[in-house]
Amino acid sequence: MKAHPTIVALSSGAGRAGVAVVRVSGPSVRFVIETIAGSVPEARRAAYRALRDGDGAIIDHGLVLFFPAPASFTGEDVAEFHIHGSRAVLSRLLSVLAALPGLRLAEAGEFTRRAFEAGKLDLAAVEGLADLIDSETEWQRRQALRQMEGALGQAAAEWRSALIKAMTLIEAEIDFSDEGDVAGPLIAEAVAGCQGVLGSLRVALGSFAAGERVREGFVVVLAGPPNAGKSSLLNAIARRDVAIVSPIAGTTRDAIEVRLDLGGIPVVLVDTAGLRESSDEIEAEGVRRARQRADNADLVLRLRPPDSETDRKDSGTTEIVVATKLDLGGSARPGEVGVSAITGSGLPELMALIASRLGKLGQAEPALVTRERQRVAVADAAAAIERAAQLPHEQPELIAEELRLAVRALERLIGKVDVEDVLDSLFSGFCIGK
């Protein structure tokens, strides 16, 4: 791994806190510890020290930990200073550290990038770490943790190993077909061995839709005519005033989104414009967008105000008809859920039904493939294997080339090749101390 300058950053949350963690990584870590804390403590054992500035004045008392290379997160020497989390203490310690020779403040995601470059994490695991940091619900945490622990990378390594074994058989057939000790129809054996890989790739691709939804949130759209109570219901579910509520029809003209944790399920609840014909160009555009959001939603709540009919499209599991304004005399018909945004009546039942419907769209095991980049790489590998299986066995060179393309797609998946255009965008989304 190429030599890096030593970097320093706050790795815990910014602001007032009981404890804060400042992390340092790079070749000057031992010098930093000796300068600030007096001596390097035993590896991986916390030592209580006075941390001093260049004049010997105490900045704070805290714990110092040392993680020697290569057995550290970044693969370099790493130090952590656990100190009191006041802004004054943090500001002073960071300014003293940044002023030491050979040190600079870290950029966003730079610690994780060094871990990737040191081979501590593959690209899929890095993406899982990013998702874990951003996770807001239990489903997102479980899925991201599986990615960060290397589930996709391990699967890709097994797929790649099987394909390389198949390529070895084909090369043996090409190079040594006239040798007496090279047995049997090796190409047929190689192609047959790839079928198991192809099946696994297809299963992984099949999990993508659910994995993407868990990562980004299931979309639930509130749809219905003007003054059906969509904005009131949105505010009641969100437990805050998100949307403007008015008796004037057409108040909501663009989609309003609220992110929710519904029993561990990530949900994006969308309030849309009232569905009606309008000569107002702006409102008409809002209605068009509302219909489009409903068509693409995972679940639609079709709101029916009192003494009205619903525009429900079908009786499938993608829609729930909600009878609104029970406090004004509304009532639920068979198959509907009655609610009042004012009194809260019926809201627990509605939320439980939404969670039940969305839960059926997920899967018991967290998805392997959760990002579009991953889906493309896996799909490219599967397509190459399919092409190889369709080639006549009399063309072993072409079969080997297709398998080589499949292997390259899997290497792209875990970040061994062709990832430079991905890295800057990915790591810029990390916090500074990660």
Side-chain angles (χ1 to χ4, degrees):
M1 185 178 66
K2 64 181 180 181
H4 288 299
T6 301
I7 54 175
V8 58
L10 172 67
S11 290
S12 54
R16 182 174 177 266
V19 176
V21 179
V22 173
R23 178 185 287 174
V24 184
S25 178
S28 300
V29 162
R30 291 176 182 270
F31 162 73
V32 170
I33 297 175
E34 291 169 351
T35 302
I36 297 295
S39 62
V40 179
E42 183 180 349
R44 294 175 186 78
R45 284 188 175 271
Y48 183 69
R49 300 286 177 82
L51 307 181
R52 302 176 183 273
D53 62 18
D55 297 326
I58 294 177
I59 302 170
D60 193 13
H61 293 86
L63 299 179
V64 179
L65 291 100
F66 174 58
F67 305 91
S72 69
F73 175 69
T74 63
E76 306 172 318
D77 284 348
V78 172
E80 288 184 359
F81 299 98
H82 296 218
I83 58 176
H84 294 98
S86 81
R87 290 184 175 88
V89 171
L90 287 171
S91 176
R92 181 58 180 160
L93 179 60
L94 287 172
S95 64
V96 169
L97 289 173
L100 294 176
L103 267 71
R104 66 167 173 80
L105 295 176
E107 299 175 357
E110 191 167 4
F111 287 93
T112 306
R113 184 159 190 162
R114 293 189 179 191
F116 169 74
E117 292 176 348
K120 297 292 182 177
L121 299 171
D122 62 39
L123 188 57
V126 170
E127 290 170 329
L129 176 57
D131 290 343
L132 185 64
I133 292 172
D134 293 334
S135 64
E136 299 174 330
T137 74
E138 177 63 14
W139 280 30
Q140 290 175 330
R141 182 197 66 80
R142 288 175 53 233
Q143 179 170 282
L145 186 62
R146 188 185 187 209
Q147 288 273 27
M148 190 194 74
E149 290 177 340
L152 181 55
Q154 292 169 12
E158 293 174 1
W159 297 332
R160 180 177 178 273
S161 177
L163 292 178
I164 290 176
K165 180 180 178 180
M167 291 171 64
T168 302
L169 293 174
I170 294 174
E171 293 294 341
E173 178 74 20
I174 295 173
D175 295 337
F176 306 108
S177 59
D178 57 342
E179 298 290 338
D181 57 350
V182 178
L186 298 184
I187 294 181
E189 181 182 348
V191 173
C194 293
Q195 293 304 314
V197 176
L198 181 58
S200 296
L201 292 173
R202 287 171 175 167
V203 170
L205 286 173
S207 72
F208 170 68
E212 184 182 41
R213 275 295 181 248
V214 169
R215 181 173 171 268
E216 297 183 357
F218 292 90
V219 178
V220 177
V221 170
L222 300 171
N227 289 337
K230 298 184 296 299
S231 297
S232 296
L233 183 57
L234 177 77
N235 291 341
I237 293 175
R239 299 182 180 179
R240 65 182 188 275
D241 290 335
V242 179
I244 298 174
V245 177
S246 168
I248 301 174
T251 299
T252 301
R253 298 193 172 196
D254 205 353
I256 300 174
E257 298 184 357
V258 176
R259 301 189 70 87
L260 303 173
D261 179 350
L262 196 57
I265 302 173
V267 174
V268 180
L269 188 63
V270 184
D271 181 21
T272 59
L275 302 179
R276 68 171 181 175
E277 298 299 325
S278 176
S279 59
D280 186 310
E281 291 185 5
I282 297 177
E283 185 180 0
E285 175 63 18
V287 171
R288 186 194 68 79
R289 294 185 181 186
R291 296 188 187 279
Q292 185 179 48
R293 293 300 295 267
D295 289 341
N296 296 329
D298 297 297
L299 180 65
V300 177
L301 304 184
R302 297 278 178 188
L303 272 59
R304 182 185 65 79
D307 301 323
S308 299
E309 298 297 326
T310 179
D311 62 346
R312 187 176 188 177
K313 294 183 178 180
D314 55 56
S315 58
T317 59
T318 58
E319 295 189 355
I320 299 174
V321 177
V322 181
T324 59
K325 305 184 181 182
L326 295 187
D327 54 293
L328 298 181
S331 60
R333 299 169 183 171
E336 298 180 346
V337 179
V339 301
S340 168
I342 302 300
T343 67
S345 175
L347 287 181
E349 293 79 6
L350 176 60
M351 302 304 287
L353 183 56
I354 293 173
S356 174
R357 293 285 182 87
L358 295 179
K360 295 176 182 178
L361 300 179
Q363 49 192 20
E365 189 75 9
L368 270 181
V369 178
T370 61
R371 291 177 177 241
E372 178 64 14
R373 183 198 70 82
Q374 298 169 359
R375 186 199 66 78
V376 170
V378 173
D380 287 348
I385 296 174
E386 289 172 348
R387 292 193 300 268
Q390 294 169 0
L391 289 169
H393 291 185
E394 292 75 19
Q395 297 178 326
E397 294 87 354
L398 297 181
I399 296 175
E401 174 62 15
E402 293 294 352
L403 296 185
R404 186 192 68 80
L405 292 176
V407 169
R408 186 174 180 84
L410 295 177
E411 290 176 342
R412 193 167 66 246
L413 172 65
I414 58 178
K416 285 194 172 183
V417 295
D418 299 339
V419 294
E420 287 303 318
D421 57 337
V422 177
L423 296 183
D424 290 339
S425 174
L426 174 61
F427 289 116
S428 65
F430 279 79
C431 54
I432 296 295
K434 195 65 179 176

